[in-house]
């Protein structure tokens, strides 16, 4: 008898949808990659959603979260490390945190960032 | 160079420990924020006047300060986001009940500084300090030494008043790191 690993299947499914959404933002929207620019976008209150990879050093992660808390901006913890996040962004380098400034075509669909993240969080 | 960067990293470490927020409330932000299309525009600028910040670099690293005036887009001399802060150079000591009034007065002295600091060299906190310093610490107060000294002296007076009322205790306690 097969033992279907439902959990991993659902994980993979939402993971794919995350990548699709990110790809859409990469193609049509505005974003900044990496720690320095993420903080910059938070300070100037331009960022709308922050995505942090799971192997981001905890001090840096909590610093970004603190800034995001002050700026009332959502933070999403990406289910993958910086290599995966870089690949998801379509880049050939590692990305440990990124900030979405303008979601581009994604805004036409549902509201951002809740719609973006709802599927991500619903694992 | 290495020593300086180590120190600021250590500072941030201590700051993160002390700033006491719960990470859970942050990650659920994404689900609670979905209350209509307007929420996308609800980003808050937090580097505003009266915000308490911690200076991360320079001679005053580790000192708490208040933003008096912020220049988000910079000026011609400083083409980056920076702000005018008024901070505490020397914190007031702990005043105990046993102290005589003379001693208590001596212990509650606050030494202040006024400085233009790059946003990158500040750590914003969730605290605010609403002491009116706009008239005292104006844009031109850093142009000459006497103006700077008189501005620092005025802020010292205001900070000491505030300290004596017992409010904003966090601001007047030294950040241990």
């Amino acid at each position: 008898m097969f033992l279907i690993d439902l959990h991993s299947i659902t994980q993979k499914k939402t993971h794919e949808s995350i990548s699709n959404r990110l790809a859409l933002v990469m193609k049509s929207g505005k974003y900044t990659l990496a720690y320095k620019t993420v903080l910059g976008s938070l300070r100037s209150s331009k960022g709308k959603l922050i995505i942090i990879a799971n192997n981001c050093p905890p001090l840096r992660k909590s610093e970004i979260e603190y800034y995001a808390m002050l700026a009332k901006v959502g933070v999403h913890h990406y289910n993958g490390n910086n290599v995966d996040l870089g690949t998801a962004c379509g880049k050939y380098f590692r990305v440990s945190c990124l900030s979405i400034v303008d979601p581009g075509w994604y805004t036409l669909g549902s509201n951002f960032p809740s719609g973006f993240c709802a599927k991500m969080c619903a694992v | 160079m290495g020593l300086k960067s180590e120190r600021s990293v250590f500072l941030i470490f201590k700051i993160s420990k002390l700033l006491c927020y719960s990470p859970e409330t942050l990650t659920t932000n994404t689900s609670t924020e979905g209350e209509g299309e307007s929420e996308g525009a609800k980003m808050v600028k937090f580097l505003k006047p009266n915000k308490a910040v911690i200076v991360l670099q320079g001679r005053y690293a580790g000192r708490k300060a208040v933003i008096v005036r912020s220049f988000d887009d910079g000026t011609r001399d400083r083409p980056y986001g920076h702000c005018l802060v008024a901070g505490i150079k020397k914190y007031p000591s702990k005043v105990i009940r046993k102290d005589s009034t003379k001693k208590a007065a001596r212990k509650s002295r606050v030494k202040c500084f006024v400085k233009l600091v790059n946003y990158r060299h500040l750590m914003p906190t969730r605290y605010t300090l609403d002491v009116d310093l706009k008239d005292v610490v104006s844009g031109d107060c850093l142009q000459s030494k006497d103006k700077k000294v008189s501005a620092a002296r005025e802020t010292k007076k205001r900070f000491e008043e505030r300290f004596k009322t017992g409010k904003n205790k966090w601001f007047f306690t030294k950040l241990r790191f």
Side-chain angles (χ1 to χ4, degrees):
Chain A
M1 232 165 128
F2 271 146
L3 277 174
I4 304 171
D5 193 355
L6 263 176
H7 186 245
S8 72
I9 288 177
T10 52
Q11 280 250 1
K12 245 195 212 156
K13 210 172 180 183
T14 52
H15 221 80
E16 283 169 10
S17 71
I18 296 166
S19 319
N20 291 341
R21 284 155 208 274
L22 247 183
L24 189 59
V25 175
M26 292 295 134
K27 218 182 335 180
S28 59
K30 289 201 183 64
Y31 56 91
T32 59
L33 304 174
Y35 175 65
K36 269 193 194 172
T37 56
V38 163
L39 287 189
S41 74
L42 283 167
R43 280 186 203 117
S44 57
S45 61
K46 286 217 172 69
K48 291 198 168 61
L49 176 68
I50 312 291
I51 302 178
I52 307 180
N54 68 4
N55 67 343
C56 186
L59 179 60
R60 184 180 293 187
K61 180 166 28 174
S62 46
E63 196 186 356
I64 296 177
E65 286 174 355
Y66 195 82
Y67 269 83
M69 179 263 295
L70 291 175
K72 298 213 207 319
V73 170
V75 171
H76 181 262
H77 294 102
Y78 185 72
N79 190 13
N81 62 8
N82 48 7
V83 180
D84 301 336
L85 190 51
T87 316
C89 297
K91 306 287 177 193
Y92 291 111
F93 45 81
R94 297 173 289 270
V95 172
S96 101
C97 42
L98 73 105
S99 156
I100 297 177
V101 174
D102 171 25
W105 293 341
Y106 196 79
T107 45
L108 301 178
S110 41
N111 39 350
F112 183 86
S114 62
F116 198 93
C117 292
K119 295 286 173 73
M120 290 189 190
C121 303
V123 169
Chain B
M1 233 344 203
L3 204 62
K4 239 205 258 178
S5 55
E6 268 174 40
R7 189 177 174 210
S8 61
V9 168
F10 194 55
L11 244 183
I12 296 181
F13 174 66
K14 281 287 177 171
I15 287 167
S16 71
K17 280 196 153 192
L18 292 167
L19 289 177
C20 305
Y21 63 98
S22 68
E24 290 78 44
T25 57
L26 292 174
T27 47
T28 54
N29 241 351
T30 52
S31 47
T32 53
E33 258 188 41
E35 246 80 88
E37 294 90 17
S38 58
E39 53 92 4
K42 227 184 256 168
M43 290 158 299
V44 176
K45 241 182 65 68
F46 52 89
L47 287 168
K48 292 203 279 218
N50 295 331
K51 189 75 163 165
V53 295
I54 300 177
V55 181
L56 291 176
Q57 303 275 20
R59 194 154 53 110
Y60 299 115
R63 303 284 199 272
K64 297 180 187 172
V66 193
I67 296 182
V68 179
R69 218 183 132 192
S70 61
F71 305 91
D72 286 334
D73 302 317
T75 55
R76 209 155 40 91
D77 301 327
R78 286 174 177 252
Y80 44 81
H82 62 285
C83 51
L84 191 56
V85 297
I88 299 180
K89 201 193 272 193
K90 195 167 177 193
Y91 290 91
S93 334
K94 217 167 171 62
V95 179
I96 50 178
R97 203 144 45 108
K98 214 166 71 165
D99 291 331
S100 60
T101 38
K102 211 165 82 165
K103 202 165 189 187
R106 186 160 251 272
K107 277 191 177 181
S108 336
R109 288 190 308 187
V110 179
K111 198 153 164 64
C112 298
F113 68 89
V114 174
K115 191 170 167 52
L116 278 172
V117 190
N118 189 347
Y119 282 159
R120 284 186 176 194
H121 302 152
L122 292 176
M123 178 73 199
T125 66
R126 60 187 169 91
Y127 300 94
T128 52
L129 183 79
D130 47 350
V131 173
D132 189 23
L133 290 169
K134 283 218 180 64
D135 48 336
V136 168
V137 182
S138 56
D140 62 336
C141 74
L142 287 176
Q143 271 163 14
S144 73
K145 180 96 191 206
D146 0 304
K147 279 196 202 156
K148 194 171 172 178
V149 166
S150 60
R153 213 170 278 156
E154 256 308 308
T155 59
K156 170 191 162 75
K157 253 184 242 163
R158 310 239 172 129
F159 278 174
E160 278 180 4
E161 272 173 36
R162 185 51 73 94
F163 174 66
K164 285 186 183 131
T165 64
K167 292 197 215 150
N168 306 117
K169 277 218 180 88
W170 179 84
F171 186 76
F172 293 104
T173 47
K174 192 175 186 179
L175 184 70
R176 308 278 316 171
F177 65 95

